[in-house]
């Protein structure tokens, strides 16, 4: 297997290191695409994508560039040229999965994405294995290392949000633009990818409601502590009677929930299925070598034979069938008067059981940019 590596940043350099260390003669990285000619330091490097995408000797492309374009165009071109693809680019894959799967199936290629959700955890592979026997009814988890690092440090040591974010960036966990981490968009991509793999129900990631932790403050974590709860950013999706519900939301988990004990930058993901019941997977969800490990696992899977099937049609996401209680901190509590079950402080209230769709109408009316909401686990 001759591999073309697109991108040699945090994940790409990890892939190089692992492949070099394996000294397995059945596969080798033949060419590496770097961003500009100035970055070329080895003979196998090029800044011209066509040198890789049109090289008939290269049969697998690893895409670790990140971002939507030109990553999507290069992956499509590779598939159209009959090359199998491994990608770690969750944002791009969640958005264009239908188009990419169609191209892969048409051209008889494999398309693998283990590193796109759960980082180094073999989560996608496990979902595929569970589905060989069981229907999966729900998935949920801590799917972002950066925000888990921030919330864990703020909870344990009172570290400020900005300092914890800077540390997560320095360790290579955060996205180039950490907006995707702290506003929940990274988890939204991973939730969409987990749902499509678990249920065979692809959805437009833009249909999944998303709430992040940008506005979280020490007083929110203090409320959790006083009520024996730990705050985590959770992605979840459920499949009931043919419909898909999914959401990304900070949740005040009970202290007794296993996810509440998963700290630092770790990820933890859980699937519930027919005969296996709940099964949980914990490990490094970000970082160079753990993520690269998932990429190299995909390469080995392709080497051992697997082709991509045609995509399923996308389904709508509906949150109208599920109710929960929400913690709301707002400078405008009057806007929530109709749905307030309990006032916890002058600017903190607990809602009655309500659908997220209904809550969103009140959030809109409150027009409060500092508003923070979190689900309170039942
Ligand atoms: N920024 C992501 C995280 C990287 O912190 O989890 C792994 O997808």
């Amino acid at each position: 297997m001759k591999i073309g590596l697109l991108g040699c940043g945090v994940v790409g350099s990890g892939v190089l290191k692992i492949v070099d260390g394996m000294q397995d003669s059945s596969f080798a990285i033949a060419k590496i695409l770097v961003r500009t000619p100035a970055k070329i330091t080895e003979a196998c490097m090029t800044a011209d994508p066509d040198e890789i995408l049109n090289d008939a000797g290269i049969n697998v492309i690893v895409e670790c560039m990140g971002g939507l374009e030109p990553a999507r165009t290069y992956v499509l071109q590779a598939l159209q040229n009959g090359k199998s693809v491994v990608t770690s680019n969750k944002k791009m894959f969640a958005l264009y999965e239908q188009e990419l799967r169609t191209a892969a199936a048409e051209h008889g290629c494999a398309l693998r994405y283990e590193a796109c959700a759960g980082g180094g955890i073999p989560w996608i592979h496990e979902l595929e294995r569970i589905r060989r026997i069981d229907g999966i009814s729900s998935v949920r988890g801590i799917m972002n290392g950066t925000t888990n690092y921030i919330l864990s440090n703020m909870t344990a040591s009172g570290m400020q949000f900005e300092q914890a974010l800077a540390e997560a960036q320095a360790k290579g966990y955060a996205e180039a633009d950490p907006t995707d981490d702290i506003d929940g968009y990274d988890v939204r991509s991973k939730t969409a990818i987990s749902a499509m793999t678990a249920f065979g129900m692809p959805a437009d990631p833009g249909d999944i409601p998303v709430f992040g932790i940008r506005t979280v403050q020490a007083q929110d974590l203090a409320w959790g502590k006083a009520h024996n709860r730990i705050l985590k950013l959770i992605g979840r999706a459920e499949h009931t009677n043919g419909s898909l519900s999914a959401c990304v939301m900070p949740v005040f988990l009970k202290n007794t929930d296993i996810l509440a004990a998963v700290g630092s930058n770790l990820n933890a993901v859980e699937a519930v299925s027919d005969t296996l019941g709940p099964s949980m997977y914990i490990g490094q969800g970000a970082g160079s070598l753990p993520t690269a490990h998932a990429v190299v696992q995909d390469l080995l899977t392709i080497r051992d034979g697997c082709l991509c099937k045609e995509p399923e049609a996308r389904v709508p996401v509906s949150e109208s069938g599920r109710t929960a209680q929400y913690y709301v901190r707002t400078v405008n509590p009057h806007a929530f008067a109709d749905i307030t079950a309990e006032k916890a402080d002058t600017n903190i209230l607990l809602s009655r059981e309500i659908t997220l769709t209904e809550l969103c109408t009140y959030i809109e009316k409150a027009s409060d940019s500092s508003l923070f909401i979190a689900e309170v686990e039942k």
Side-chain angles (χ1 to χ4, degrees), residues 90 143-146 173-175 181 186 190 285-286:
K90 57 254 156 156
M143 302 187 190
N144 182 272
T146 302
Y173 307 146
E175 298 305 300
D181 295 303
D186 178 72
K190 292 166 177 172

Side-chain angles (χ1 to χ4, degrees), residues 53-128:
L53 300 173
N54 295 331
D55 180 336
I58 289 179
N59 44 10
V60 181
I61 295 294
V62 172
E63 187 272 305
C64 301
M65 302 174 67
L68 296 181
E69 288 292 357
R72 167 201 174 215
T73 301
Y74 293 172
V75 167
L76 260 183
Q77 199 179 327
L79 294 169
Q80 283 156 358
N81 287 350
K83 302 182 196 309
S84 289
V85 170
V86 175
T87 181
S88 63
N89 188 340
K90 57 254 156 156
K91 189 174 182 173
M92 188 277 294
F93 185 69
L95 205 55
Y96 298 120
E97 168 262 351
Q98 302 265 295
E99 182 184 30
L100 301 181
R101 270 193 209 272
T102 303
E106 255 173 40
H107 293 87
C109 300
L111 175 60
R112 306 287 307 169
Y113 55 95
E114 180 65 69
C116 285
I121 303 171
W123 168 235
I124 298 297
H125 180 70
E126 277 312 314
L127 291 174
E128 288 170 345

Side-chain angles (χ1 to χ4, degrees), residues 165-206:
L165 171 61
E167 282 188 16
Q169 286 177 298
K171 286 173 188 276
Y173 307 146
E175 298 305 300
D177 174 1
T179 301
D180 278 358
D181 295 303
I182 60 184
D183 287 340
Y185 299 119
D186 178 72
V187 177
R188 185 174 71 173
S189 297
K190 292 166 177 172
T191 302
I193 290 168
S194 301
M196 79 173 70
T197 310
F199 315 138
M201 295 174 89
D204 184 336

Side-chain angles (χ1 to χ4, degrees), residues 5 75 156 163 179 285 308 351 354 377:
L5 177 61
V75 167
Q163 188 191 344
T179 301
C308 184
S351 77
I354 186 173
E377 188 181 30

